[in-house]
Amino acid sequence: DKVLPELIEPYELRAAKLREFLEDVKPSLCYDIVPLADPFGPSVTDPDLQCLVVSEETRRGGEAVNRKRLENGLPELALYEIQLMKDPEHSQNEEEKISSSSLRQRLLGTLLQPPRRDPALPLHPYVIGLTGGTGSGKTSMAKLLGQLGAFVIDADKLGHAVYAPGGLAYEPVVAAFGAEILNKDGTINRKVLGAKVFGNQEQLKRLTDIVWPKIAQMVKERVREADAQGKAVCVLDAAVLLE
């Protein structure tokens, strides 16, 4: 798997750069750039191919190609192995070879495009939305940014607070889903509530239409709190930020 796949350039741009390189090297060269829809592409179906260029780390892939060609009744390809160029500037956590993965890692922490000024939004604090699926590292990144001085808003914690007795969503949720979702102490039983909305898009939307605006309201209050504390940067850690 490629490191930081989100920073891989689009296929069209990569193909254009390759085409430009080939024309610089030898303008009379005949070539065909083919997008791969599977791990093998035309290498296991094209009877006119004779040679496959591999590196030490991709030789096993070349051998797999030849096995597939034999299965398809095609002759094996000659495997021509080349040496990969070493990167004398690589850091300890980067690959020794010149690698696009290392280049993408070096982009971390840099702005790919300047921040867009929105006249409807205040300049301070500068709010960063931090989102991603479970296990993507949001919590670790939020903690690191907090150590660097950012004001961190954990939407998950607000999500729990909004359901608590006295919370902004407590009464409207109980009114919408009934007293049967309550524990004996009056708190909302999240498992019982979850069972009511699980697999039911209509009921789930009914719940999120109540809860999400309340959480957004709490987030805005926390942003104002960050501003009052003189914080320059505010980080909103939220799994469903875009939704």
Side-chain angles (χ1 to χ4, degrees):
D1 289 342
K2 287 288 184 183
V3 177
L4 303 172
E6 298 86 353
L7 295 179
I8 294 177
E9 292 176 329
Y11 167 78
E12 292 77 13
L13 180 58
R14 300 176 78 196
K17 287 183 175 179
L18 176 58
R19 197 174 289 111
E20 183 181 357
F21 169 76
L22 293 172
E23 288 170 359
D24 280 347
V25 171
K26 191 174 183 181
S28 61
L29 192 67
C30 292
Y31 59 86
D32 191 13
I33 300 174
V34 181
L36 301 183
D38 61 71
F40 296 104
S43 65
V44 295
T45 57
D46 191 338
D48 296 328
L49 293 180
Q50 296 175 316
C51 173
L52 188 62
V53 178
V54 297
S55 66
E56 183 181 355
E57 61 184 32
T58 61
R59 172 169 277 278
R60 287 174 64 186
E63 291 167 353
V65 165
N66 274 337
R67 287 195 295 273
K68 280 280 187 183
R69 285 181 69 85
L70 289 175
E71 288 175 16
N72 293 340
L74 297 172
E76 288 188 348
L77 301 176
L79 299 182
Y80 181 80
E81 186 174 314
I82 58 170
Q83 299 300 308
L84 295 176
M85 292 184 68
K86 302 294 183 184
D87 181 1
E89 306 296 328
H90 78 88
S91 65
Q92 189 174 359
N93 67 334
E94 293 177 342
E95 296 175 291
E96 287 188 5
K97 65 179 182 180
I98 293 177
S99 164
S100 60
S101 291
S102 297
L103 295 177
R104 289 197 298 282
Q105 278 186 302
R106 291 168 197 169
L107 282 173
L108 287 174
T110 62
L111 288 172
L112 296 181
Q113 58 188 36
R116 181 172 53 85
R117 287 280 175 91
D118 187 335
L121 296 175
L123 292 175
H124 299 285
Y126 186 78
V127 181
I128 297 173
L130 180 61
T131 192
T134 303
S136 62
K138 289 192 308 301
T139 303
S140 299
M141 186 57 67
K143 185 178 179 182
L144 179 62
L145 291 169
Q147 289 169 353
L148 292 171
F151 186 97
V152 179
I153 302 171
D154 186 338
D156 196 40
K157 287 181 180 176
L158 297 184
H160 284 281
V162 80
Y163 285 104
L168 294 178
Y170 179 83
E171 288 188 8
V173 167
V174 173
F177 293 92
E180 64 265 27
I181 67 169
L182 295 177
N183 293 312
K184 289 181 180 178
D185 61 1
T187 57
I188 291 175
N189 187 318
R190 297 284 289 272
K191 286 186 178 178
V192 174
L193 177 59
K196 281 179 170 282
V197 300
F198 182 76
N200 186 323
Q201 288 297 318
E202 189 178 321
Q203 290 289 78
L204 180 61
K205 185 178 186 305
R206 189 181 178 198
L207 178 63
T208 56
D209 282 351
I210 296 170
V211 173
W212 284 356
K214 301 298 185 186
I215 294 176
Q217 183 181 333
M218 294 171 76
V219 166
K220 288 174 183 175
E221 289 172 1
R222 297 283 282 154
V223 171
R224 286 194 288 271
E225 186 182 328
D227 189 32
Q229 291 183 19
K231 292 284 187 176
V233 175
C234 193
V235 175
L236 172 58
D237 173 0
V240 288
L241 177 66
L242 303 181
E243 291 85 346

mmCIF file of all heavy atoms in Angstrom, residues 207-224:
data_model
loop_
_atom_site.group_PDB
_atom_site.id
_atom_site.type_symbol
_atom_site.label_atom_id
_atom_site.label_comp_id
_atom_site.label_asym_id
_atom_site.label_seq_id
_atom_site.Cartn_x
_atom_site.Cartn_y
_atom_site.Cartn_z
ATOM 1 N N LEU A 207 -33.444 11.625 14.457
ATOM 2 C CA LEU A 207 -32.546 11.838 15.594
ATOM 3 C C LEU A 207 -31.460 12.861 15.272
ATOM 4 O O LEU A 207 -31.227 13.788 16.045
ATOM 5 C CB LEU A 207 -31.914 10.505 16.011
ATOM 6 C CG LEU A 207 -30.909 10.572 17.164
ATOM 7 C CD1 LEU A 207 -31.585 11.051 18.451
ATOM 8 C CD2 LEU A 207 -30.243 9.219 17.385
ATOM 9 N N THR A 208 -30.809 12.678 14.104
ATOM 10 C CA THR A 208 -29.707 13.586 13.761
ATOM 11 C C THR A 208 -30.205 15.012 13.517
ATOM 12 O O THR A 208 -29.488 15.971 13.789
ATOM 13 C CB THR A 208 -28.917 13.079 12.536
ATOM 14 O OG1 THR A 208 -29.813 12.889 11.427
ATOM 15 C CG2 THR A 208 -28.214 11.772 12.841
ATOM 16 N N ASP A 209 -31.422 15.145 13.022
ATOM 17 C CA ASP A 209 -31.995 16.482 12.820
ATOM 18 C C ASP A 209 -32.171 17.215 14.155
ATOM 19 O O ASP A 209 -32.161 18.446 14.210
ATOM 20 C CB ASP A 209 -33.349 16.393 12.111
ATOM 21 C CG ASP A 209 -33.211 16.165 10.610
ATOM 22 O OD1 ASP A 209 -32.069 16.256 10.103
ATOM 23 O OD2 ASP A 209 -34.231 15.877 9.958
ATOM 24 N N ILE A 210 -32.341 16.444 15.229
ATOM 25 C CA ILE A 210 -32.442 17.047 16.564
ATOM 26 C C ILE A 210 -31.050 17.325 17.135
ATOM 27 O O ILE A 210 -30.758 18.422 17.610
ATOM 28 C CB ILE A 210 -33.210 16.119 17.544
ATOM 29 C CG1 ILE A 210 -34.668 15.933 17.108
ATOM 30 C CG2 ILE A 210 -33.141 16.655 18.977
ATOM 31 C CD1 ILE A 210 -35.411 14.852 17.886
ATOM 32 N N VAL A 211 -30.202 16.298 17.067
ATOM 33 C CA VAL A 211 -28.936 16.334 17.808
ATOM 34 C C VAL A 211 -27.851 17.173 17.143
ATOM 35 O O VAL A 211 -27.176 17.970 17.802
ATOM 36 C CB VAL A 211 -28.433 14.888 18.049
ATOM 37 C CG1 VAL A 211 -27.046 14.891 18.673
ATOM 38 C CG2 VAL A 211 -29.406 14.137 18.935
ATOM 39 N N TRP A 212 -27.646 16.992 15.824
ATOM 40 C CA TRP A 212 -26.514 17.661 15.171
ATOM 41 C C TRP A 212 -26.560 19.179 15.267
ATOM 42 O O TRP A 212 -25.540 19.811 15.550
ATOM 43 C CB TRP A 212 -26.388 17.192 13.718
ATOM 44 C CG TRP A 212 -25.793 15.813 13.609
ATOM 45 C CD1 TRP A 212 -25.309 15.040 14.624
ATOM 46 C CD2 TRP A 212 -25.636 15.039 12.423
ATOM 47 N NE1 TRP A 212 -24.862 13.835 14.146
ATOM 48 C CE2 TRP A 212 -25.051 13.808 12.794
ATOM 49 C CE3 TRP A 212 -25.938 15.263 11.083
ATOM 50 C CZ2 TRP A 212 -24.748 12.806 11.868
ATOM 51 C CZ3 TRP A 212 -25.634 14.268 10.158
ATOM 52 C CH2 TRP A 212 -25.049 13.048 10.547
ATOM 53 N N PRO A 213 -27.720 19.848 15.075
ATOM 54 C CA PRO A 213 -27.739 21.304 15.248
ATOM 55 C C PRO A 213 -27.378 21.729 16.674
ATOM 56 O O PRO A 213 -26.756 22.776 16.872
ATOM 57 C CB PRO A 213 -29.186 21.695 14.907
ATOM 58 C CG PRO A 213 -29.681 20.577 14.027
ATOM 59 C CD PRO A 213 -29.032 19.352 14.565
ATOM 60 N N LYS A 214 -27.760 20.902 17.667
ATOM 61 C CA LYS A 214 -27.431 21.222 19.059
ATOM 62 C C LYS A 214 -25.927 21.102 19.295
ATOM 63 O O LYS A 214 -25.330 21.926 20.000
ATOM 64 C CB LYS A 214 -28.185 20.296 20.023
ATOM 65 C CG LYS A 214 -29.710 20.363 19.907
ATOM 66 C CD LYS A 214 -30.238 21.731 20.234
ATOM 67 C CE LYS A 214 -31.783 21.743 20.219
ATOM 68 N NZ LYS A 214 -32.316 23.113 20.397
ATOM 69 N N ILE A 215 -25.325 20.069 18.712
ATOM 70 C CA ILE A 215 -23.866 19.912 18.847
ATOM 71 C C ILE A 215 -23.159 21.072 18.146
ATOM 72 O O ILE A 215 -22.183 21.625 18.667
ATOM 73 C CB ILE A 215 -23.404 18.554 18.279
ATOM 74 C CG1 ILE A 215 -23.961 17.395 19.113
ATOM 75 C CG2 ILE A 215 -21.878 18.479 18.225
ATOM 76 C CD1 ILE A 215 -23.640 16.015 18.585
ATOM 77 N N ALA A 216 -23.659 21.462 16.964
ATOM 78 C CA ALA A 216 -23.079 22.597 16.241
ATOM 79 C C ALA A 216 -23.163 23.869 17.093
ATOM 80 O O ALA A 216 -22.218 24.671 17.124
ATOM 81 C CB ALA A 216 -23.803 22.796 14.916
ATOM 82 N N GLN A 217 -24.283 24.035 17.800
ATOM 83 C CA GLN A 217 -24.461 25.195 18.688
ATOM 84 C C GLN A 217 -23.414 25.171 19.801
ATOM 85 O O GLN A 217 -22.810 26.207 20.131
ATOM 86 C CB GLN A 217 -25.879 25.160 19.278
ATOM 87 C CG GLN A 217 -26.228 26.349 20.157
ATOM 88 C CD GLN A 217 -27.654 26.227 20.716
ATOM 89 O OE1 GLN A 217 -28.525 25.590 20.116
ATOM 90 N NE2 GLN A 217 -27.890 26.821 21.873
ATOM 91 N N MET A 218 -23.192 23.962 20.376
ATOM 92 C CA MET A 218 -22.198 23.818 21.444
ATOM 93 C C MET A 218 -20.787 24.080 20.914
ATOM 94 O O MET A 218 -19.950 24.675 21.603
ATOM 95 C CB MET A 218 -22.288 22.414 22.049
ATOM 96 C CG MET A 218 -23.587 22.141 22.781
ATOM 97 S SD MET A 218 -23.779 20.400 23.259
ATOM 98 C CE MET A 218 -22.661 20.298 24.650
ATOM 99 N N VAL A 219 -20.519 23.646 19.679
ATOM 100 C CA VAL A 219 -19.208 23.881 19.066
ATOM 101 C C VAL A 219 -18.958 25.377 18.942
ATOM 102 O O VAL A 219 -17.866 25.870 19.271
ATOM 103 C CB VAL A 219 -19.111 23.191 17.687
ATOM 104 C CG1 VAL A 219 -17.890 23.710 16.913
ATOM 105 C CG2 VAL A 219 -19.024 21.677 17.832
ATOM 106 N N LYS A 220 -19.962 26.118 18.459
ATOM 107 C CA LYS A 220 -19.804 27.571 18.283
ATOM 108 C C LYS A 220 -19.547 28.255 19.628
ATOM 109 O O LYS A 220 -18.759 29.206 19.719
ATOM 110 C CB LYS A 220 -21.047 28.146 17.605
ATOM 111 C CG LYS A 220 -21.154 27.769 16.133
ATOM 112 C CD LYS A 220 -22.468 28.228 15.514
ATOM 113 C CE LYS A 220 -22.576 27.777 14.062
ATOM 114 N NZ LYS A 220 -23.886 28.110 13.467
ATOM 115 N N GLU A 221 -20.209 27.746 20.678
ATOM 116 C CA GLU A 221 -19.975 28.296 22.017
ATOM 117 C C GLU A 221 -18.540 28.046 22.459
ATOM 118 O O GLU A 221 -17.892 28.921 23.048
ATOM 119 C CB GLU A 221 -20.953 27.677 23.016
ATOM 120 C CG GLU A 221 -22.395 28.149 22.843
ATOM 121 C CD GLU A 221 -23.381 27.376 23.703
ATOM 122 O OE1 GLU A 221 -22.937 26.479 24.456
ATOM 123 O OE2 GLU A 221 -24.589 27.647 23.609
ATOM 124 N N ARG A 222 -18.021 26.865 22.140
ATOM 125 C CA ARG A 222 -16.638 26.525 22.505
ATOM 126 C C ARG A 222 -15.635 27.351 21.699
ATOM 127 O O ARG A 222 -14.584 27.725 22.209
ATOM 128 C CB ARG A 222 -16.397 25.030 22.286
ATOM 129 C CG ARG A 222 -17.234 24.110 23.141
ATOM 130 C CD ARG A 222 -16.718 24.035 24.561
ATOM 131 N NE ARG A 222 -15.549 23.165 24.640
ATOM 132 C CZ ARG A 222 -14.596 23.275 25.570
ATOM 133 N NH1 ARG A 222 -14.658 24.248 26.450
ATOM 134 N NH2 ARG A 222 -13.575 22.444 25.584
ATOM 135 N N VAL A 223 -15.955 27.622 20.431
ATOM 136 C CA VAL A 223 -15.082 28.476 19.609
ATOM 137 C C VAL A 223 -15.023 29.877 20.217
ATOM 138 O O VAL A 223 -13.948 30.490 20.292
ATOM 139 C CB VAL A 223 -15.571 28.527 18.137
ATOM 140 C CG1 VAL A 223 -14.787 29.589 17.352
ATOM 141 C CG2 VAL A 223 -15.411 27.171 17.469
ATOM 142 N N ARG A 224 -16.180 30.397 20.663
ATOM 143 C CA ARG A 224 -16.210 31.719 21.316
ATOM 144 C C ARG A 224 -15.389 31.698 22.612
ATOM 145 O O ARG A 224 -14.714 32.672 22.949
ATOM 146 C CB ARG A 224 -17.652 32.145 21.585
ATOM 147 C CG ARG A 224 -18.411 32.589 20.324
ATOM 148 C CD ARG A 224 -19.703 33.312 20.672
ATOM 149 N NE ARG A 224 -20.710 32.391 21.188
ATOM 150 C CZ ARG A 224 -21.581 31.746 20.419
ATOM 151 N NH1 ARG A 224 -21.566 31.911 19.110
ATOM 152 N NH2 ARG A 224 -22.479 30.933 20.962
#
